[in-house]
Amino acid sequence: MDILEAARYYVLYGDLDKAKSFGLNRAIFYAWAKYYGREYVLKGSKTGILSEIKKSEDKISTEVAGESVYQDVKTGYYIIGDKPQTPEDYDKEIKNKIELVIPYDKARDAAVKYISSFPKSILENQRLFYEKVYVPVRDHFIEKVVNRKRFGGFPSLVTMLYI
């Protein structure tokens, strides 16, 4: 998810450092939500993880690609809790792990090309991005995106609507 989220940000906004921050931020958020979110909300918090973030002059709430995220005012990087996710954090947590399997530049370039094959309306919608872009490749990213073994390349929008 993280490399696709970073590629989505990069395709939409063109800033590589913030794309890395956003990709890592979303990976952390969705991992947390997958394992703790439903239980956390049921225990009495009306807003889940976001209620734990203290308001501060150092961060603002903003909407990016249909998602509400906190952003560090000084650096522009995205925040979970009180910690901004930096490009260096992304490289350590994501890039270096991908490098164990495949050259990161190859994976990143394939992800950007794949993401670029979708219309902006899908990329800017959190639910559509998840359903139409992420889910079809989540378990087989290398085969379907990097090696493009399904559909003989990237699927057309018409094909994706019927998946």
Side-chain angles (χ1 to χ4, degrees):
M1 180 69 149
D2 35 36
I3 195 168
L4 292 176
E5 286 284 11
R8 173 169 75 141
Y9 188 98
Y10 182 75
V11 167
L12 288 171
Y13 308 109
D15 186 314
L16 183 58
D17 285 343
K18 287 185 184 174
K20 288 180 173 186
S21 177
F22 184 76
L24 181 57
N25 180 280
R26 297 294 77 198
I28 293 168
F29 177 79
Y30 286 118
W32 178 90
K34 181 178 178 180
Y35 293 104
Y36 304 106
R38 189 173 278 178
E39 179 181 313
Y40 187 80
V41 171
L42 293 176
K43 284 185 177 179
S45 172
K46 293 181 181 176
T47 58
I49 193 172
L50 298 179
S51 69
E52 293 296 310
I53 299 174
K54 298 174 186 164
K55 299 221 180 222
S56 165
E57 294 178 9
D58 296 336
K59 57 189 158 200
I60 58 169
S61 177
T62 187
E63 187 171 311
V64 178
E67 302 194 46
S68 181
V69 293
Y70 281 89
Q71 188 173 27
D72 184 89
V73 173
K74 295 174 189 157
T75 65
Y77 296 140
Y78 298 98
I79 299 171
I80 291 283
D82 287 327
K83 184 179 182 332
Q85 285 72 57
T86 67
E88 296 78 23
D89 293 334
Y90 177 93
D91 290 347
K92 181 177 148 190
E93 297 296 325
I94 308 302
K95 179 182 176 183
N96 292 344
K97 290 176 183 171
I98 291 172
E99 288 273 342
L100 296 173
V101 178
I102 186 172
Y104 175 77
D105 291 345
K106 183 177 181 180
R108 182 205 55 224
D109 293 347
V112 168
K113 187 173 181 181
Y114 173 66
I115 295 296
S116 296
S117 71
F118 293 90
K120 189 175 182 181
S121 60
I122 288 177
L123 301 180
E124 290 179 329
N125 182 298
Q126 176 185 10
R127 183 184 56 79
L128 290 177
F129 175 79
Y130 177 79
E131 292 173 358
K132 304 289 185 189
V133 180
Y134 173 69
V135 169
V137 300
R138 76 173 155 203
D139 296 326
H140 304 283
F141 175 78
I142 292 175
E143 295 88 354
K144 292 181 179 180
V145 176
V146 178
N147 296 334
R148 294 186 261 157
K149 292 197 176 179
R150 187 170 183 204
F151 306 112
F154 295 124
S156 68
L157 177 59
V158 174
T159 305
M160 288 302 295
L161 293 175
Y162 294 101
I163 291 179

